[in-house]
Amino acid sequence: MSEEQTKPENRARPTTDEFRTFVAQGWAPRSTQLPELTEAARRAAVRRDELSAAFPGDRLVIPAGGLKVRSNDSDYVFRPHTAFAYLTGLGADREPDAVLVMEPTEQGGHEAVLYFRPLAGRDTEEFFGDSRYGEFWVGARPSIEDVEAELGLTGAHVDGFADAVGKDAGAVTVRVVRDAEASLTARVDELRTQNGAQPEALTAADDELAHRVSTMRMVKDDWELGQMQDAVDATRVGFDAVIAELPTVAERGRGERWVEGVFGLHARHQGNGVGYDSICAAGDHANTLHWIKNTGDIAPDELLLLDAGVEVDSLFTADVTRTLPISGTFTDAQREVYDAVCDAQQAGIDAIRPGAKFYAVHAAAIRVIAERLHGWGLLPEGVSVEDPLDTEHGQYHRRWMVHGTSHHLGLDVHDCALATRAEYMDAELEPGMVLTVEPGLYFKADDLLVPARFRGIGVRIEDDVVVTQDGSRNLTGEWPHTSQEVEAWIAEVQAR
């Protein structure tokens, strides 16, 4: 299932029978102590029960995905598919090529079986000779007994996967999360059609499974919310570290890369790494919404738009943006734009409550944006504040804020992506939902419709907010928000 690596012959090493015998000897016995059942696994079992009830009698296949080749014989760091992590409790870099199979039982419900590549013996070629999987090269993998103890499900060698899934695929509906691993999906398709399944029905059945797992994640339980708070708190460590470096970034050259590196250092130390490619956009680069090249210099009089989040080991991620004056103080024009965005964000946060529509958050924030644009005289002559809000004939404001204000957040930075519009934008907010609130204003340096004092200024402010029984709780609520608070934050961090 993992992508095939190039195996150059010029680096091959001769292996003798004598060496095989010698390398297998003289090792201390492996520990027999098994890991404890994790809290993540306990929560995953509850989710599997919910999924089981939705697809009675069906065989459900949820792959982790395989290793992806970065270049030649080097792989990218592995991250399991979100559906797999959600339903097993495995995070970090575990376990490439594994597949969770939920096997229907005669008594009803499903048995969860994890097919994976277990620890190989020291008398095998893999132990010393396989640079991709071997213990000498990448460390010891868990045994079947380890996985069963840690996750509370049945473990099995991945070599038995195909037979288990294809044995009666014509009589039993088999569903697979298709986008997790293309080569495995192709193999499952082949097994299903060989056993009499109709090809035209496969994708529709699979889409139903993927959709269900995606929408199940909309409401977080207390443990998940705790993981997201941990991610937010870890992210604050990274932001503080960046702020401490601001006095030196202008003179370093390629300051955006320095900022990216500083945040990435703390993301890797505090958690699993970054939850998405960090946006470290200085000056006019802030007006490119997904500026992840981070190749630019940083000037002392510019703003830095830092959109970054730490992904903790459970793979829940934060998604936070602050726009920071490099000098520590906003200019008058920068403050004017920043304060407008800050007011818009507060309006969006204030709109979050159970029963409110998801789109109401954007509507509240964008009204403030439209009011400021109108007040600055940026809208076309004769256009009122109401006109930009008209979804059929208006939308003038989108020249300066083209994106939406919110998205669901969780294991994916844009979580629950397979939900329909009725389940997402038009749905009512429920306690346990986590969403971002991130309005912005982006005045490109070459935009002749804005005053010269605003050109080249881009501002976004983003927080992560959980819907509660009686309103909302801002997971980033202790962070500075207003321009005065941001200036005080910078001064306090740099005085340490």
Side-chain angles (χ1 to χ4, degrees):
M1 292 177 290
S2 290
E3 292 180 353
E4 186 175 351
Q5 289 182 343
T6 300
K7 296 294 183 183
E9 292 184 4
N10 55 32
R11 297 183 63 194
R13 299 288 187 271
T15 301
T16 64
D17 291 339
E18 291 78 6
F19 172 73
R20 288 189 179 90
T21 300
F22 181 67
V23 77
Q25 299 174 352
W27 303 104
R30 298 188 190 276
S31 172
T32 58
Q33 183 175 354
L34 296 176
E36 295 183 357
L37 183 70
T38 66
E39 186 60 29
R42 290 189 181 93
R43 304 294 175 138
V46 175
R47 300 166 193 152
R48 291 197 300 271
D49 287 344
E50 180 180 343
L51 191 65
S52 174
F55 297 101
D58 294 353
R59 182 174 298 131
L60 311 178
V61 180
I62 303 96
L67 296 166
K68 303 292 191 294
V69 175
R70 183 183 187 276
S71 177
N72 192 29
D73 58 351
S74 298
D75 294 323
Y76 286 104
V77 174
F78 178 72
R79 183 199 190 275
H81 190 275
T82 295
F84 177 87
Y86 186 66
L87 294 169
T88 62
L90 287 172
D93 59 351
R94 301 175 65 192
E95 292 281 334
D97 297 331
V99 190
L100 173 67
V101 176
M102 293 177 60
E103 181 68 26
T105 67
E106 293 182 0
Q107 299 77 25
H110 291 76
E111 178 190 11
V113 183
L114 186 70
Y115 292 90
F116 73 108
R117 186 186 299 272
L119 179 66
R122 289 164 172 156
D123 58 347
T124 64
E125 187 90 8
E126 179 183 296
F127 172 60
F128 65 86
D130 191 324
S131 62
R132 202 177 207 186
Y133 299 109
E135 185 175 344
F136 255 59
W137 298 83
V138 298
R141 294 191 305 276
S143 67
I144 288 177
E145 294 77 16
D146 289 333
V147 161
E148 290 181 337
E150 180 185 358
L151 302 182
L153 41 63
T154 301
H157 197 291
V158 71
D159 289 349
F161 165 74
D163 288 341
V165 169
K167 59 188 176 185
D168 52 3
V172 174
T173 298
V174 179
R175 302 175 188 263
V176 61
V177 176
R178 298 188 68 85
D179 68 336
E181 177 55 60
S183 59
L184 182 139
T185 297
R187 178 63 176 142
V188 172
D189 283 349
E190 181 182 10
L191 290 169
R192 290 187 288 189
T193 54
Q194 285 176 350
N195 285 275
Q198 299 302 309
E200 60 273 11
L202 299 182
T203 300
D206 295 344
D207 288 349
E208 290 175 357
L209 172 61
H211 172 264
R212 184 68 181 222
V213 179
S214 182
T215 55
M216 282 172 60
R217 302 199 302 270
M218 279 191 164
V219 175
K220 276 70 176 177
D221 64 25
D222 57 344
W223 181 82
E224 292 173 302
L225 294 177
Q227 292 295 298
M228 298 194 70
Q229 185 66 67
D230 289 347
V232 165
D233 294 344
T235 300
R236 177 64 181 268
V237 174
F239 270 74
D240 282 354
V242 167
I243 288 173
E245 296 285 326
L246 292 183
T248 67
V249 292
E251 63 193 46
R252 290 185 182 278
R254 294 223 297 182
E256 291 177 346
R257 283 287 169 92
W258 188 263
V259 169
E260 179 184 358
V262 169
F263 186 86
L265 162 67
H266 291 277
R268 189 65 172 157
H269 186 247
Q270 294 284 320
N272 190 51
V274 294
Y276 52 96
D277 287 333
S278 301
I279 298 170
C280 309
D284 195 43
H285 286 166
N287 296 311
T288 300
L289 300 181
H290 289 168
W291 177 260
I292 58 172
K293 295 180 180 180
N294 300 335
T295 53
D297 296 331
I298 296 178
D301 60 345
E302 289 181 328
L303 298 176
L304 170 70
L305 190 158
L306 178 57
D307 185 336
V310 173
E311 176 186 83
V312 293
D313 290 341
S314 62
L315 302 184
F316 285 91
T317 187
D319 181 9
V320 183
T321 307
R322 287 296 184 270
T323 305
L324 309 166
I326 300 299
S327 67
T329 305
F330 292 97
T331 67
D332 290 344
Q334 290 169 349
R335 190 183 306 277
E336 196 172 355
V337 177
Y338 184 96
D339 289 349
V341 175
C342 189
D343 290 345
Q345 193 208 30
Q346 189 59 58
I349 292 174
D350 290 343
I352 299 175
R353 64 183 65 88
K357 296 288 190 179
F358 185 94
Y359 64 70
V361 181
H362 178 72
I366 210 64
R367 175 171 287 278
V368 176
I369 293 293
E371 289 171 351
R372 297 304 171 89
L373 293 172
H374 185 266
W376 287 327
L378 300 189
L379 301 179
E381 186 175 352
V383 170
S384 70
V385 170
E386 299 298 326
D387 291 331
L389 306 179
D390 184 341
T391 58
E392 297 294 331
H393 304 289
Q395 301 289 291
Y396 300 98
H397 64 276
R398 295 189 63 199
R399 180 183 178 108
W400 300 289
M401 182 182 153
V402 71
H403 61 79
T405 300
S406 297
H407 58 79
H408 281 274
L409 180 68
L411 285 170
D412 286 340
V413 67
H414 295 141
D415 211 18
C416 315
L418 298 183
T420 65
R421 183 176 182 87
E423 295 166 325
Y424 203 116
M425 295 298 296
D426 297 336
E428 291 186 356
L429 298 177
E430 299 178 37
M433 289 181 170
V434 179
L435 53 148
T436 64
V437 185
E438 51 175 315
L441 279 170
Y442 310 94
F443 298 126
K444 291 182 176 292
D446 58 354
D447 189 343
L448 301 182
L449 295 188
V450 302
R453 72 182 189 279
F454 287 164
R455 293 174 194 165
I457 294 177
V459 173
R460 181 163 65 251
I461 311 170
E462 179 179 18
D463 287 279
D464 305 337
V465 182
V466 56
V467 184
T468 62
Q469 294 291 341
D470 56 358
S472 68
R473 177 169 60 90
N474 192 342
L475 298 175
T476 32
E478 298 301 316
W479 291 49
H481 288 83
T482 69
S483 56
Q484 293 83 2
E485 289 170 348
V486 168
E487 290 172 336
W489 179 23
I490 294 173
E492 188 271 329
V493 169
Q494 294 178 356
R496 293 174 185 170

